Amino acid sequence: MSSLGKDADAFKRALHRQDYTSWHSQPAPLETSPTNPEPSTKRKRPKTNIVYSQPADTGTGSNVNTQLVYAIDHLKSTPNPMRLQDIAMMTNTPLDTDMVLLEKFKAHDRIQYDPKTDLYSYRHDFNFRNKAALLTEIQRQTRKGGGIPVRALKESWKEAPQAIEELEKEGEVLVTRTIKDGQLRMVFWNEIKPDEDSGGSHVEKEFLDLWHQLKVPNDVDLLKALASEGLQATAAEAVPPKGPTNTKKKGKRSAPRQRQARITNTHLKGEIDLSRDYHAAGK
């Protein structure tokens, strides 16, 4: 057999031995480069959510007024005075380097500066740090004829709501609450203490239940009950009807306009003053 026939026979035997059942599922061969004989793989870049068209979120913003609000709010929440550098560091604002921001900060009506200590503090509506001073402030405000919002007291002292609840249990103050969630709303000083010495005492629950069980009768039953006792319901005073309001107001009559007389006797001009009235002499 010639060499060509041997090659053809070997090619046919190789075709019979080859498995083509899953040729389409085989992975593609790795690419190789002439300079790098090892197969190369492409690495995918990690996805990020950074939007490069927007400035980075620094927490305090770049606007002067926004930075001013951050600085004042931080000082407001701090009970003790602070240095300017500490406020700038805690709020991440250029309060100690930006002159415009510093001037706005110093000019704020709630900022107090002590030149002796070089410290800044926030001026609250009330100045107290214990329950006794809180009660004194509530008494002073109640004597003026009003209560104090609990929110304003909490801004001056964070423990104020808890102290108010303790004073309420002791009978020192009266508190109003919100209907929805029962949160403290207003606080008043209780001038009449619930004890025998001051003349006041708590109403027993039995009488409170009897009071709430009372029902106001309707108009018909009320009139019958009054008639049985020899009483008569008073009639409400009738309000006189108002006159029509669309009438035109009469204006004041203006004085008659004097009409100037026309002088026709021009030939007497120069000899007699025609603008004066002449009367005959009395006899």
Side-chain angles (χ1 to χ4, degrees):
M1 183 181 291
S2 62
S3 62
L4 180 61
K6 292 180 180 179
D7 294 339
D9 188 42
F11 178 73
K12 290 180 181 179
R13 286 195 300 269
L15 289 177
H16 287 291
R17 290 196 304 267
Q18 187 70 27
D19 184 12
Y20 295 98
T21 56
S22 60
W23 65 272
H24 58 278
S25 61
Q26 297 297 326
L30 298 177
E31 296 179 359
T32 57
S33 59
T35 57
N36 186 13
E38 297 294 332
S40 61
T41 58
K42 295 182 178 180
R43 295 182 180 179
K44 294 183 178 180
R45 295 181 179 178
K47 296 182 178 180
T48 58
N49 296 327
I50 300 175
V51 181
Y52 294 97
S53 61
Q54 296 180 357
D57 185 10
T58 59
T60 56
S62 58
N63 186 272
V64 175
N65 295 328
T66 305
Q67 294 173 351
L68 177 64
V69 172
Y70 273 98
I72 293 175
D73 287 345
H74 179 76
L75 190 61
K76 180 180 179 180
S77 61
T78 305
N80 300 322
M82 296 183 63
R83 296 189 309 128
L84 188 67
Q85 293 78 7
D86 294 337
I87 301 174
M89 181 180 62
M90 296 299 295
T91 58
N92 194 21
T93 57
L95 188 60
D96 53 344
T97 57
D98 191 341
M99 293 295 103
V100 177
L101 178 60
L102 181 59
E103 290 298 328
K104 287 179 174 289
F105 183 77
K106 290 182 177 180
H108 197 273
D109 57 348
R110 290 286 183 172
I111 300 301
Q112 291 180 332
Y113 173 69
D114 189 357
K116 295 180 180 179
T117 59
D118 195 23
L119 297 177
Y120 292 86
S121 61
Y122 185 86
R123 182 176 61 83
H124 294 276
D125 293 332
F126 308 98
N127 187 16
F128 55 86
R129 289 295 181 270
N130 53 63
K131 189 168 71 172
L134 171 62
L135 180 59
T136 302
E137 192 64 43
I138 296 173
Q139 291 174 350
R140 183 184 299 109
Q141 190 69 22
T142 304
R143 289 192 182 99
K144 295 180 181 179
I148 305 178
V150 179
R151 181 182 299 177
L153 298 175
K154 185 179 179 181
E155 291 180 355
S156 302
W157 187 38
K158 291 183 179 180
E159 289 76 13
Q162 182 179 356
I164 291 172
E165 291 181 349
E166 295 177 0
L167 292 172
E168 183 185 18
K169 293 179 181 179
E170 297 171 2
E172 296 290 341
V173 297
L174 300 174
V175 179
T176 60
R177 288 177 166 83
T178 58
I179 300 176
K180 184 177 180 180
D181 49 4
Q183 296 296 325
L184 301 177
R185 186 176 180 182
M186 297 287 294
V187 58
F188 303 82
W189 177 49
N190 187 12
E191 300 184 20
I192 302 178
K193 302 297 184 294
D195 52 26
E196 296 180 356
D197 296 336
S198 60
S201 60
H202 287 292
V203 180
E204 297 180 3
K205 186 177 183 302
E206 179 183 0
F207 293 100
L208 290 175
D209 295 339
L210 292 174
W211 173 262
H212 291 297
Q213 290 175 3
L214 294 176
K215 295 182 179 180
V216 179
N218 54 33
D219 296 341
V220 178
D221 296 338
L222 184 59
L223 292 175
K224 291 181 180 180
L226 291 174
S228 63
E229 298 294 334
L231 301 175
Q232 185 178 2
T234 59
E237 184 179 358
V239 181
K242 296 182 179 180
T245 58
N246 56 357
T247 56
K248 295 183 179 180
K249 295 181 179 180
K250 296 181 179 180
K252 296 182 179 180
R253 294 183 178 180
S254 59
R257 185 178 180 182
Q258 295 182 357
R259 186 176 180 182
Q260 296 181 356
R262 184 178 179 184
I263 302 174
T264 56
N265 300 330
T266 56
H267 61 281
L268 299 177
K269 188 176 181 180
E271 298 180 2
I272 301 176
D273 188 0
L274 300 177
S275 62
R276 295 176 54 189
D277 294 334
Y278 293 93
H279 299 279
K283 296 180 180 180

